[in-house]
């Protein structure tokens, strides 16, 4: 019986077209779900690049675990560039410069042919904060290599993005320890 399942899974995995996957919603688990894909894919020596929008000076476990999963898993932080902008309301030109750079790096990674999976982490927030233009992200999605799986995370996913996606999951908050004053936990939240 197990062999039949293995065979079916193998046959299914012959599917070559990449997916556009969106994790959105208020509930916790969007970035964690994307990291789960990276972990799973690494098991098959698939290459994943996670590009972190927004996330800046704070430390996240994935920054360190990616080092352990090298060379299959790579994390790039664009967020550091945006941090000053979000905090100090920097001039519009500075905002546009970093946004351009962010899209350039994402395009390079997506088009490089080096990766099986690219994760644009928190990109939905970057769009909503006006840091990144929705048109640029729609172009990124439309021009991705056919085989590449592209994952976009962050709440408030725009309808246009949902429209282009193959898989959209909305995390719904039922309970969160934060509501009871329990602070973010190492290894669970960051
Ligand atoms: P995670 O990275 O844990 O998968 P996420 O990607 O779904 O969370 P984000 O919007 O990126 O959520 O928020 C990042 C941080 O905020 C994480 O530390 C996460 O645990 C925390 N967080 C997520 N959802 C909630 C919530 N509903 N209430 C309070 N804190 C939250
Ligand atoms: Mg997240």
């Amino acid at each position: 019986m197990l062999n039949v399942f293995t065979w079916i899974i193998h046959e299914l995995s012959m599917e070559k077209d990449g997916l556009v996957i969106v994790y959105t919603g208020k509930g916790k688990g969007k970035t964690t779900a994307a990291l789960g894909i990276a972990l799973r894919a690494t098991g098959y020596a698939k290459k994943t690049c996670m590009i972190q929008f927004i996330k800046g000076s704070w430390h996240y476990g994935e920054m360190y675990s990616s080092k352990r999963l090298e060379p299959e898993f790579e994390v790039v932080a664009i967020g550091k560039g945006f941090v000053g902008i979000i905090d100090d309301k920097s001039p519009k030109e500075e905002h546009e410069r970093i946004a351009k750079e962010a899209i350039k790096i994402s395009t390079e990674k997506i088009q490089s042919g080096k990766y099986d999976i690219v994760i644009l982490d928190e990109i939905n927030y970057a769009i909503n904060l006006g840091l990144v233009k929705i048109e640029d992200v729609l172009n990124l999605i439309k021009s991705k290599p056919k085989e590449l799986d592209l994952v976009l995370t962050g709440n408030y996913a725009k309808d246009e993005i949902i429209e282009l996606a193959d898989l959209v999951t909305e995390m719904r908050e039922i309970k969160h320890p934060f509501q009871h004053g329990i602070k973010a936990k190492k290894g669970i939240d960051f």
Side-chain angles (χ1 to χ4, degrees), residues 23-183:
Y23 293 124
T24 192
K26 183 172 184 273
K28 174 182 159 59
K30 301 172 287 292
T31 299
T32 317
L35 287 168
I37 290 180
L39 179 65
R40 183 172 275 172
T42 301
Y44 296 108
K46 287 189 172 212
K47 297 222 161 138
T48 305
C49 179
M50 174 183 261
I51 302 167
Q52 295 182 323
F53 287 74
I54 313 293
K55 286 173 177 168
S57 46
W58 190 254
H59 291 251
Y60 291 86
E62 57 265 34
M63 290 171 180
Y64 309 113
S65 38
S66 63
K67 300 278 172 227
R68 293 175 166 218
L69 295 175
E70 269 177 356
E72 282 81 7
F73 187 30
E74 180 188 324
V75 175
V76 178
I78 284 172
K80 288 198 172 106
F82 281 128
V83 167
I85 285 196
I86 301 167
D87 297 348
D88 341 321
K89 300 201 168 42
S90 301
K92 199 164 167 262
E93 301 78 58
E94 180 64 358
H95 164 165
E96 285 170 358
R97 188 187 64 75
I98 294 169
K100 251 191 186 161
E101 184 64 17
I103 292 298
K104 186 168 163 262
I105 293 171
S106 303
T107 308
E108 280 168 8
K109 295 288 181 188
I110 289 170
Q111 297 295 341
S112 69
K114 266 174 68 182
Y115 307 99
D116 299 289
I117 302 165
V118 171
I119 301 166
L120 304 177
D121 186 39
E122 316 300 353
I123 190 143
N124 293 329
Y125 291 121
I127 297 167
N128 274 285
L129 288 167
L131 298 173
V132 167
K133 285 191 213 147
I134 173 85
E135 296 76 25
D136 288 342
V137 179
L138 295 175
N139 285 335
L140 271 187
I141 299 173
K142 287 178 191 161
S143 61
K144 80 165 185 66
K146 207 165 178 287
E147 302 78 22
L148 182 97
D149 292 303
L150 185 63
V151 184
L152 301 97
T153 84
N155 198 9
Y156 313 113
K158 295 278 186 203
D159 290 344
E160 299 96 306
I161 289 181
I162 290 174
E163 187 96 4
L164 285 180
D166 301 290
L167 191 166
V168 181
T169 298
E170 181 176 2
M171 271 53 177
R172 181 164 70 91
E173 182 179 297
I174 293 179
K175 271 187 177 183
H176 195 290
F178 190 72
Q179 296 162 341
H180 306 286
I182 298 169
K183 293 202 178 86

